[in-house]
mmCIF file of all heavy atoms in Angstrom:
data_model
loop_
_atom_site.group_PDB
_atom_site.id
_atom_site.type_symbol
_atom_site.label_atom_id
_atom_site.label_comp_id
_atom_site.label_asym_id
_atom_site.label_seq_id
_atom_site.Cartn_x
_atom_site.Cartn_y
_atom_site.Cartn_z
ATOM 1 N N HIS A 63 -12.828 -28.662 15.738
ATOM 2 C CA HIS A 63 -12.103 -28.831 17.044
ATOM 3 C C HIS A 63 -13.178 -29.188 17.985
ATOM 4 O O HIS A 63 -14.333 -28.817 17.814
ATOM 5 C CB HIS A 63 -11.462 -27.367 17.345
ATOM 6 C CG HIS A 63 -10.693 -27.474 18.519
ATOM 7 N ND1 HIS A 63 -11.269 -27.011 19.852
ATOM 8 C CD2 HIS A 63 -9.430 -27.786 18.918
ATOM 9 C CE1 HIS A 63 -10.286 -27.213 20.694
ATOM 10 N NE2 HIS A 63 -9.227 -27.707 20.173
ATOM 11 N N TYR A 65 -14.062 -27.914 20.793
ATOM 12 C CA TYR A 65 -14.831 -26.879 21.335
ATOM 13 C C TYR A 65 -15.982 -26.509 20.467
ATOM 14 O O TYR A 65 -16.763 -25.623 20.841
ATOM 15 C CB TYR A 65 -13.986 -25.575 21.535
ATOM 16 C CG TYR A 65 -12.895 -25.760 22.567
ATOM 17 C CD1 TYR A 65 -11.856 -24.706 22.584
ATOM 18 C CD2 TYR A 65 -12.853 -26.658 23.500
ATOM 19 C CE1 TYR A 65 -10.860 -24.754 23.608
ATOM 20 C CE2 TYR A 65 -11.845 -26.727 24.401
ATOM 21 C CZ TYR A 65 -10.819 -25.807 24.430
ATOM 22 O OH TYR A 65 -9.837 -25.805 25.482
ATOM 23 N N ASP A 80 -8.090 -32.402 19.030
ATOM 24 C CA ASP A 80 -7.451 -31.198 19.575
ATOM 25 C C ASP A 80 -6.547 -30.665 18.441
ATOM 26 O O ASP A 80 -6.619 -31.168 17.274
ATOM 27 C CB ASP A 80 -6.558 -31.701 20.763
ATOM 28 C CG ASP A 80 -5.397 -32.663 20.433
ATOM 29 O OD1 ASP A 80 -5.260 -32.963 19.227
ATOM 30 O OD2 ASP A 80 -4.768 -33.069 21.382
ATOM 31 N N SER A 81 -5.834 -29.552 18.634
ATOM 32 C CA SER A 81 -5.032 -28.949 17.603
ATOM 33 C C SER A 81 -4.140 -29.784 16.935
ATOM 34 O O SER A 81 -3.842 -29.786 15.711
ATOM 35 C CB SER A 81 -4.311 -27.681 18.184
ATOM 36 O OG SER A 81 -5.135 -26.925 18.997
ATOM 37 N N PHE A 103 -6.095 -19.707 13.232
ATOM 38 C CA PHE A 103 -4.747 -20.191 13.284
ATOM 39 C C PHE A 103 -4.743 -21.766 12.900
ATOM 40 O O PHE A 103 -3.826 -22.285 12.297
ATOM 41 C CB PHE A 103 -4.043 -19.989 14.651
ATOM 42 C CG PHE A 103 -4.473 -20.938 15.677
ATOM 43 C CD1 PHE A 103 -3.934 -22.175 15.913
ATOM 44 C CD2 PHE A 103 -5.341 -20.459 16.690
ATOM 45 C CE1 PHE A 103 -4.460 -23.080 16.986
ATOM 46 C CE2 PHE A 103 -5.796 -21.275 17.793
ATOM 47 C CZ PHE A 103 -5.342 -22.587 17.925
ATOM 48 N N MET A 104 -5.850 -22.400 13.210
ATOM 49 C CA MET A 104 -6.029 -23.858 12.839
ATOM 50 C C MET A 104 -6.230 -24.043 11.351
ATOM 51 O O MET A 104 -5.580 -24.932 10.678
ATOM 52 C CB MET A 104 -7.201 -24.436 13.555
ATOM 53 C CG MET A 104 -6.985 -24.450 15.056
ATOM 54 S SD MET A 104 -8.565 -25.015 15.840
ATOM 55 C CE MET A 104 -8.061 -25.099 17.572
ATOM 56 N N TYR A 152 3.746 -21.938 20.568
ATOM 57 C CA TYR A 152 2.428 -22.611 20.589
ATOM 58 C C TYR A 152 1.701 -22.530 19.361
ATOM 59 O O TYR A 152 1.753 -21.450 18.645
ATOM 60 C CB TYR A 152 1.640 -21.928 21.794
ATOM 61 C CG TYR A 152 0.384 -22.641 22.343
ATOM 62 C CD1 TYR A 152 0.353 -24.073 22.334
ATOM 63 C CD2 TYR A 152 -0.620 -21.892 22.857
ATOM 64 C CE1 TYR A 152 -0.676 -24.693 22.846
ATOM 65 C CE2 TYR A 152 -1.807 -22.547 23.364
ATOM 66 C CZ TYR A 152 -1.830 -23.936 23.392
ATOM 67 O OH TYR A 152 -2.868 -24.567 23.827
ATOM 68 N N ASN A 154 -1.251 -21.908 18.665
ATOM 69 C CA ASN A 154 -2.150 -20.771 18.719
ATOM 70 C C ASN A 154 -1.472 -19.464 18.265
ATOM 71 O O ASN A 154 -1.417 -18.505 19.110
ATOM 72 C CB ASN A 154 -2.817 -20.536 20.034
ATOM 73 C CG ASN A 154 -3.630 -21.789 20.485
ATOM 74 O OD1 ASN A 154 -3.176 -22.904 20.278
ATOM 75 N ND2 ASN A 154 -4.654 -21.605 21.148
ATOM 76 N N SER A 169 -0.756 -28.252 23.234
ATOM 77 C CA SER A 169 -0.893 -28.523 24.643
ATOM 78 C C SER A 169 -0.634 -30.062 24.789
ATOM 79 O O SER A 169 -0.249 -30.536 25.829
ATOM 80 C CB SER A 169 -2.339 -28.249 24.966
ATOM 81 O OG SER A 169 -3.186 -29.035 24.182
ATOM 82 N N HIS A 220 -9.424 -19.189 29.484
ATOM 83 C CA HIS A 220 -8.757 -19.937 30.542
ATOM 84 C C HIS A 220 -8.120 -19.027 31.671
ATOM 85 O O HIS A 220 -7.960 -19.523 32.716
ATOM 86 C CB HIS A 220 -7.692 -20.888 29.945
ATOM 87 C CG HIS A 220 -8.364 -22.040 29.154
ATOM 88 N ND1 HIS A 220 -8.564 -21.922 27.822
ATOM 89 C CD2 HIS A 220 -8.869 -23.132 29.493
ATOM 90 C CE1 HIS A 220 -9.063 -22.987 27.339
ATOM 91 N NE2 HIS A 220 -9.311 -23.782 28.367
ATOM 92 N N HIS A 243 -7.275 -27.259 31.635
ATOM 93 C CA HIS A 243 -6.397 -27.058 30.442
ATOM 94 C C HIS A 243 -5.062 -26.433 30.842
ATOM 95 O O HIS A 243 -5.129 -25.520 31.766
ATOM 96 C CB HIS A 243 -7.226 -26.208 29.286
ATOM 97 C CG HIS A 243 -6.528 -26.337 27.987
ATOM 98 N ND1 HIS A 243 -5.498 -25.536 27.677
ATOM 99 C CD2 HIS A 243 -6.860 -27.182 26.915
ATOM 100 C CE1 HIS A 243 -5.183 -25.816 26.368
ATOM 101 N NE2 HIS A 243 -5.996 -26.887 25.972
ATOM 102 N N GLU A 245 -3.727 -23.984 29.705
ATOM 103 C CA GLU A 245 -3.726 -22.543 29.561
ATOM 104 C C GLU A 245 -4.237 -21.812 30.879
ATOM 105 O O GLU A 245 -4.294 -20.560 30.938
ATOM 106 C CB GLU A 245 -4.524 -22.054 28.345
ATOM 107 C CG GLU A 245 -3.975 -22.481 27.044
ATOM 108 C CD GLU A 245 -5.009 -22.414 25.800
ATOM 109 O OE1 GLU A 245 -6.171 -21.909 26.132
ATOM 110 O OE2 GLU A 245 -4.647 -22.812 24.785
ATOM 111 N N GLY A 259 -3.917 -30.897 27.580
ATOM 112 C CA GLY A 259 -4.691 -30.409 26.503
ATOM 113 C C GLY A 259 -6.059 -31.078 26.504
ATOM 114 O O GLY A 259 -6.281 -32.029 27.303
ATOM 115 N N THR A 260 -6.861 -30.725 25.519
ATOM 116 C CA THR A 260 -8.223 -31.338 25.403
ATOM 117 C C THR A 260 -8.149 -32.857 25.223
ATOM 118 O O THR A 260 -8.946 -33.655 25.687
ATOM 119 C CB THR A 260 -9.063 -30.607 24.405
ATOM 120 O OG1 THR A 260 -8.399 -30.699 23.125
ATOM 121 C CG2 THR A 260 -9.300 -29.160 24.681
ATOM 122 N N MET A 306 -14.537 -19.536 19.017
ATOM 123 C CA MET A 306 -14.964 -20.979 18.687
ATOM 124 C C MET A 306 -16.451 -21.047 18.413
ATOM 125 O O MET A 306 -16.877 -21.814 17.545
ATOM 126 C CB MET A 306 -14.610 -21.900 19.814
ATOM 127 C CG MET A 306 -13.116 -22.240 19.917
ATOM 128 S SD MET A 306 -12.655 -23.355 18.729
ATOM 129 C CE MET A 306 -10.904 -23.635 18.921
HETATM 130 P P1 13P B 1 -6.064 -28.135 22.377
HETATM 131 O O1 13P B 1 -5.038 -28.332 21.338
HETATM 132 O O2 13P B 1 -5.778 -28.675 23.794
HETATM 133 O O3 13P B 1 -7.421 -28.646 21.863
HETATM 134 O O4 13P B 1 -6.274 -26.538 22.725
HETATM 135 C C1 13P B 1 -6.682 -25.633 21.701
HETATM 136 C C2 13P B 1 -7.112 -24.377 22.365
HETATM 137 O O5 13P B 1 -7.406 -23.403 21.655
HETATM 138 C C3 13P B 1 -7.335 -24.370 23.803
HETATM 139 O O6 13P B 1 -7.915 -23.035 24.191
#
Side-chain angles (χ1 to χ4, degrees):
H63 187 262
Y65 292 163
D80 62 6
S81 311
F103 76 81
M104 296 177 175
Y152 195 30
N154 297 40
S169 58
H220 293 92
H243 197 278
E245 292 167 8
T260 55
M306 286 285 180

